[in-house]
Amino acid sequence: MGNQRIQSKILIIRLGAIGDVIHTLPALAALRHAMPDAHLAWAVERGGAAKLLHGNPYLDELIELDLRGWRRNWTSAETLTAIRSSFANLREAKFDLALDFQGLLKSAAIAWLARIPRRVGFAKESLREPASRWLMTERVSADDNNHVIKKNLQLVASLGCDVPPEFEFPINLDAADEQFAREQIEKNNGALAILNPGGGWATKLWHTSEFAIVADRLWEAFGIRSAITYGPGELTLAQMVVAQTKTGAAFPLASTLKQFLALAREAKLFLGSDTGPMHLAAAARTPIVALFGPTSAKRNGPFAKEDLIVERFDLDCRTDCYRRYCSHTSCMKIPAEQVWQAVTKRLRIAAKPSESGLRIGDRELPILASNL
């Protein structure tokens, strides 16, 4: 490892959202292991995703920027004072190196306005906003078709750091987060699945009636109840899933991001689309069945080889789609039976063998199952 290239004060720039932050955590871990004595700071947008970084054991400093608030009131004297103060503080910190994992003009501008002498970002072909490269002093070529976690690690590797083969997701959970998870598991007889019908984009949503079918079958086949989780503005979706179940074995569940992570570590299954909770479940090593439509599973999907992805390959319009709105959203018209087959297969892969068969929830199933 080229220690002569390692700087003492490093600013990581990844402003959000939840998935973006989660996908950058392995890069943070690799940096910390390679540079145990370096001062590592992270610039993030104030809000939900920033909460995942509170108390992070690998960070020396968390810098929360109120970018949304600044945009809403950018002409007010108070906002201009806050902006000047924030960048004055960044300049006074005298960072040696900035790593821009975001690849946007606003993220590149933060490093440039902070007057950080060495600014490392991605090359043109790997940027969402290619013009941002002109604010970098070094540009790293990366495979944008590979998983985004591996792409982020390529930025770290360009410094001469060793990149471990296993992904590490340093997130600090406190006793209250873990107690929340224990209580939910205990209330549901030790077997709970997480079904997350939200998706952030309208084009990522699988129909609530299909989630309800899976929730009923999880109970009937395996004795597993389903927590229907939701984020801001998604309570109605969760309530619709619960209302459409026939067994009464599903319930809506609100949680913080860290409570969700703690619960995911104990859950039997996560079912949902390409969204923050799915990425948290992947970090928690929850058994996952992920539903993919407008986005790329290769780039954003779960990375454990045992996890399963359900998607359609018969639609040309899925290629490089990434549309948040669509007149038909055919890519998410996936039959419940197809998803159920993936769910049963993933549960059997994760199941612990007993003397007579595979134990899933409170049920035992034959080892020689046709859909294993």
Side-chain angles (χ1 to χ4, degrees), residues 61 92 98 110 124 136-137 142 148 190 205 209 231 274 285 309 313 316 340 350 356 359:
E61 185 179 3
E92 289 170 7
I110 288 170
K124 177 182 178 180
M136 296 289 109
T137 61
V148 67
L205 300 182
S209 63
D274 175 15
R285 303 302 199 272
I309 295 161
F313 296 99
D316 292 337
W340 175 245
S356 57
R359 179 170 293 279

Side-chain angles (χ1 to χ4, degrees), residues 21-41:
V21 168
I22 294 166
H23 289 154
T24 310
L25 286 170
L28 167 65
L31 281 169
R32 176 52 74 201
H33 292 310
M35 297 170 267
D37 298 322
H39 180 95
L40 299 184

Side-chain angles (χ1 to χ4, degrees), residues 68-215:
R68 290 189 183 90
W70 294 348
R71 288 195 296 270
R72 284 194 299 267
N73 303 292
W74 67 273
T75 58
S76 73
E78 183 179 356
T79 296
L80 293 174
T81 298
I83 293 172
R84 282 194 294 267
S85 175
S86 294
F87 283 100
N89 290 337
L90 283 171
R91 288 192 292 271
E92 289 170 7
K94 298 188 183 303
F95 287 103
D96 303 294
L97 166 68
L99 293 172
D100 181 8
F101 291 94
Q102 197 83 27
L104 301 177
L105 278 168
K106 65 180 179 181
S107 57
I110 288 170
W112 183 74
L113 290 169
R115 299 177 186 168
I116 300 173
R118 187 181 179 195
R119 304 183 297 277
V120 181
F122 293 110
K124 177 182 178 180
E125 62 274 11
S126 302
L127 292 171
R128 287 171 56 191
E129 295 180 355
S132 66
R133 72 189 188 279
W134 299 116
L135 297 178
M136 296 289 109
T137 61
E138 298 175 36
R139 304 167 190 89
V140 177
S141 295
D143 184 359
D144 204 35
N145 295 315
N146 209 335
H147 199 285
V148 67
I149 293 176
K150 293 182 179 180
K151 175 185 173 181
N152 289 336
L153 286 168
Q154 285 179 280
L155 208 60
V156 174
S158 73
L159 304 178
C161 300
D162 294 329
V163 173
E166 295 295 323
F167 300 152
E168 182 181 353
F169 298 88
I171 299 176
N172 180 56
L173 298 182
D174 60 29
D177 300 321
E178 293 171 346
Q179 179 63 24
F180 171 86
R182 281 195 299 271
E183 289 174 356
Q184 293 299 323
I185 297 298
E186 289 170 3
K187 283 194 297 187
N188 292 282
N189 299 319
L192 190 66
I194 297 173
L195 275 56
N196 190 83
W201 305 358
T203 51
K204 291 182 181 180
L205 300 182
W206 196 46
H207 203 282
T208 54
S209 63
E210 312 282 25
F211 275 105
I213 290 170
V214 173

Side-chain angles (χ1 to χ4, degrees), residues 14-22 25 42-55 62-69 71-72 171-173 177 230-232 255-261 276-277 280:
R14 189 71 181 198
L15 303 172
I18 295 169
D20 291 341
V21 168
I22 294 166
L25 286 170
W42 189 315
V44 67
E45 188 153 2
R46 187 177 299 167
K51 295 176 182 177
L52 287 173
L53 298 172
H54 291 173
L62 182 63
I63 301 169
E64 298 187 53
L65 302 173
D66 188 17
L67 300 182
R68 290 189 183 90
R71 288 195 296 270
R72 284 194 299 267
I171 299 176
N172 180 56
L173 298 182
D177 300 321
Y230 58 93
S255 68
T256 67
L257 293 176
K258 289 189 176 184
Q259 286 173 339
F260 181 96
L261 177 64
L280 276 172

